[in-house]
């Protein structure tokens, strides 16, 4: 009885063969599937500083702080749960989920993103705010000059 | 238990499920699927045959494992008659999940208080009368097969339609909600009290280990020391749910972790012992 059982167990093991994969230095044999949510990537060119991502983040790792004219957006990615809510609600698609998942690190700064966004100052209360339209913003920041030689 | 062969093989069998979860939800473990109002991703028509294929493979391999370990005498000697939790003790200590079902207490919140789709997908209660480690193990083995049946039925009868309900208004503060959900270890109870700004004010979770852990002193009474780890592992504890308490002062933001001694002193003071 017992011998038969051990034989069956051995057959299961031999049938499976070697299934472990070399990690992390070997070739990536099993890449993440479609729609995998890895480390977030922020495109600051697109960000309008609305703070929607900070509002929905369940782990509250996105922090907004305002100075007079700039809004500082900090991402503490060590707390990220990779739910992808920020990428989902972003109206400008500035946040994307990459396929990067090997995030183990000794340095907290590797998992920290800090972005400064020029907004505008309210003439009345002195706090930074988003101008009404892109045109209003240009009135403050000035138009982008054509670079020489291009 | 020193029986790593089956442990490793079951992990191998489990791995395709993790890959499947990654394809369906986008992550291996922290799925981030449920929101208030529904789920975020639908199962596409391309994924359905893939799921069935994986399920078929798991069933075949799982039955082979059950067949193999059934006659393993040393394994049975360590499981049979060890860690006995009598039916009356199981009722008195309010144990839940497979621990209760292994002691002949037929409770399963999926059947007793159906939620989500369990009105249509009715699981069969797997109850064993053995009251020992073996009974609890058998409950889990049989429930795996039962889960496979539920997945097949669910894929077949999954209706079309929207996956998310629109909630245009903010949730009013001061509302309460309690729900019992059958987790793999037993009943998980969540209590939510809503607060201002569409955020929860208080969230209390009672994980199943909290109840099952209470039964350990009875379970290991009069046992040999070498059998204790097996008895404890047989109800699959998750100590991170019960291990410690963290108190955050909201004004200063200071975090204080209570030590073991402090907790014992506090609980003795509270219970008047």
């Amino acid at each position: 009885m017992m011998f038969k059982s051990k034989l069956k167990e051995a057959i299961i093991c031999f049938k499976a063969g070697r299934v472990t994969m070399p990690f992390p230095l070997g070739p990536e044999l099993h890449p993440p599937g479609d729609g995998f949510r890895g480390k977030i990537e922020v495109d600051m060119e697109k960000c309008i500083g609305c703070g929607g991502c900070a509002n929905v983040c369940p782990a509250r790792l996105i922090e907004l702080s305002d100075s007079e004219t700039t809004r500082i957006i900090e991402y503490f990615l060590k707390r990220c749960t990779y739910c992808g809510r920020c990428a989902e609600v972003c109206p400008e698609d500035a946040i994307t989920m990459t396929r990067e998942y090997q995030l183990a690190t000794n340095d907290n700064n590797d998992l920290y993103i800090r972005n400064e966004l020029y907004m505008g100052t309210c003439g009345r209360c002195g706090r930074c705010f988003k101008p009404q339209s892109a045109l209003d913003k240009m009135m403050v920041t000035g138009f982008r000059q054509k670079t020489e030689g291009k | 238990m020193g029986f790593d062969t089956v442990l490793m093989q079951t992990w191998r069998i489990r791995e395709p499920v993790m890959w499947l979860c990654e394809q369906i939800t986008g992550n291996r473990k922290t799925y981030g699927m449920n929101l208030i109002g529904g789920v975020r991703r639908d199962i596409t028509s391309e994924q359905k045959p893939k799921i069935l294929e994986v399920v078929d493979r798991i069933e075949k391999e799982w039955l082979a494992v059950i067949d193999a370990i059934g006659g393993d005498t040393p394994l049975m000697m360590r499981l049979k008659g060890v860690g006995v939790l009598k039916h009356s003790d199981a009722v008195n200590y309010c144990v839940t999940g497979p621990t209760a079902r292994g002691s002949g207490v037929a409770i399963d919140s999926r059947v007793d208080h159906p939620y989500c789709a369990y009105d249509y997908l009715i699981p069969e209660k797997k109850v064993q009368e053995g009251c020992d480690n073996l009974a609890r193990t058998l409950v889990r083995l049989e429930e795996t097969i039962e889960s496979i049946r539920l997945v097949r039925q669910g894929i077949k009868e999954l209706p079309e339609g929207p996956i998310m309900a629109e909630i245009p208004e903010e949730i009013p503060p001061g509302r309460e909600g309690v729900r019992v959900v059958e987790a793999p270890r037993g009943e998980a109870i969540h209590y939510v009290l809503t607060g201002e700004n569409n955020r929860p004010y208080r969230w209390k979770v009672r994980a199943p280990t909290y109840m099952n852990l209470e039964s350990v002193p009875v379970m290991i009474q009069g046992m040999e020391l070498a059998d204790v780890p097996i008895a404890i592992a047989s109800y699959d504890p998750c100590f991170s749910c019960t291990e410690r308490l963290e108190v955050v002062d909201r004004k200063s933001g200071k975090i204080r972790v209570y030590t073991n001694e402090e907790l014992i002193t506090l609980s003795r003071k509270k219970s008047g012992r």
Side-chain angles (χ1 to χ4, degrees), chain B:
Chain B
M1 203 186 304
F3 194 46
D4 284 350
T5 314
V6 168
L7 172 74
M8 288 299 156
Q9 291 303 323
T10 45
W11 278 53
R12 174 182 63 80
I13 295 168
R14 186 186 80 138
E15 195 57 26
V17 182
M18 308 304 286
W19 292 343
L20 206 59
C21 288
E22 196 180 281
Q23 281 175 20
I24 295 170
T25 66
N27 253 327
R28 269 173 76 94
K29 262 297 177 198
T30 41
Y31 305 132
M33 270 289 266
N34 295 320
L35 282 183
I36 296 173
V39 287
R40 288 166 61 191
R41 289 189 188 180
D42 205 353
I43 295 176
T44 58
S45 51
E46 297 95 60
Q47 281 168 348
K48 281 182 187 175
K50 266 190 205 168
I51 296 172
L52 290 176
E53 192 186 307
V54 169
V55 161
D56 285 343
R57 209 168 87 209
I58 292 167
E59 190 183 30
K60 216 175 96 197
E61 294 187 67
W62 191 242
L63 287 173
V65 168
I66 293 177
D67 182 42
I69 62 174
D72 201 320
T73 328
L75 181 75
M76 289 301 142
M77 282 166 77
R78 307 233 42 196
L79 293 177
K80 213 176 252 176
V82 179
V84 175
L85 183 69
K86 281 183 288 186
H87 181 271
S88 56
D89 286 333
V91 173
N92 288 342
Y93 281 86
C94 304
V95 293
T96 59
T99 318
R101 291 195 284 277
S103 293
V105 186
I107 49 165
D108 188 331
S109 51
R110 289 176 299 178
V111 186
D112 301 336
H113 320 282
Y115 53 94
C116 297
Y118 286 115
D119 282 334
Y120 307 99
L121 291 176
I122 299 163
E124 200 184 310
K125 285 180 189 173
K126 298 289 182 190
V127 184
Q128 291 284 332
E129 300 291 338
C131 304
D132 53 3
N133 286 346
L134 181 65
R136 288 188 280 275
T137 313
L138 285 177
V139 167
R140 284 176 212 278
L141 291 178
E142 285 174 7
E143 275 177 358
T144 312
I145 302 292
E146 183 67 12
S147 301
I148 290 171
R149 185 185 72 77
L150 287 180
V151 169
R152 283 212 185 104
Q153 195 193 340
I155 294 283
K156 211 170 106 188
E157 295 173 9
L158 190 69
E160 296 284 318
I163 53 169
M164 187 69 109
E166 289 284 329
I167 305 171
E169 288 167 14
E170 281 204 354
I171 298 160
R175 299 284 178 88
E176 292 174 306
V178 186
R179 184 62 242 182
V180 182
V181 176
E182 188 75 13
R185 295 183 174 102
E187 289 173 2
I189 299 175
H190 285 240
Y191 166 88
V192 183
L193 178 60
T194 59
E196 305 286 335
N197 302 329
N198 229 359
R199 288 202 185 272
Y201 176 75
R202 175 166 293 176
W203 193 311
K204 160 87 181 153
V205 184
R206 200 202 75 183
T209 300
Y210 195 78
M211 303 313 291
N212 292 343
L213 190 64
E214 307 281 315
S215 69
V216 168
V218 190
M219 206 190 275
I220 62 175
Q221 219 164 37
M223 265 167 59
E224 284 181 36
L225 197 58
D227 286 336
V228 173
I230 305 171
I232 292 176
S234 74
Y235 75 88
D236 192 16
C238 171
F239 287 120
S240 51
C241 306
T242 44
E243 191 178 48
R244 65 174 190 173
L245 179 76
E246 195 177 270
V247 178
V248 183
D249 189 356
R250 273 165 66 193
K251 275 180 195 147
S252 61
K254 266 186 191 166
I255 296 175
R256 181 180 169 213
V257 178
Y258 279 80
T259 61
N260 190 19
E261 286 78 29
E262 277 175 310
L263 283 177
I264 289 173
T265 323
L266 276 174
S267 66
R268 279 184 186 155
K269 208 171 136 195
K270 185 91 182 167
S271 59
R273 274 191 289 163

Side-chain angles (χ1 to χ4, degrees), chain A residues 1-2 5-6 8-9 12-13 16 19 21 30-37 54-55 60 81-85 88, chain B residues 3 5 9 12 19 22-23 25-27 30-32 35 40-41 64-65 67-74 199:
Chain A
M1 178 94 164
M2 181 191 149
S5 175
K6 290 284 176 207
K8 277 180 190 164
E9 280 161 18
I12 291 174
C13 295
V19 289
M21 293 174 190
H30 187 83
D34 296 332
F36 177 79
R37 296 190 303 262
N55 198 30
R60 304 202 196 167
T81 61
Y82 313 102
C83 68
R85 284 285 285 154
E88 211 172 73
Chain B
F3 194 46
T5 314
Q9 291 303 323
R12 174 182 63 80
W19 292 343
E22 196 180 281
Q23 281 175 20
T25 66
N27 253 327
T30 41
Y31 305 132
L35 282 183
R40 288 166 61 191
R41 289 189 188 180
V65 168
D67 182 42
I69 62 174
D72 201 320
T73 328
R199 288 202 185 272

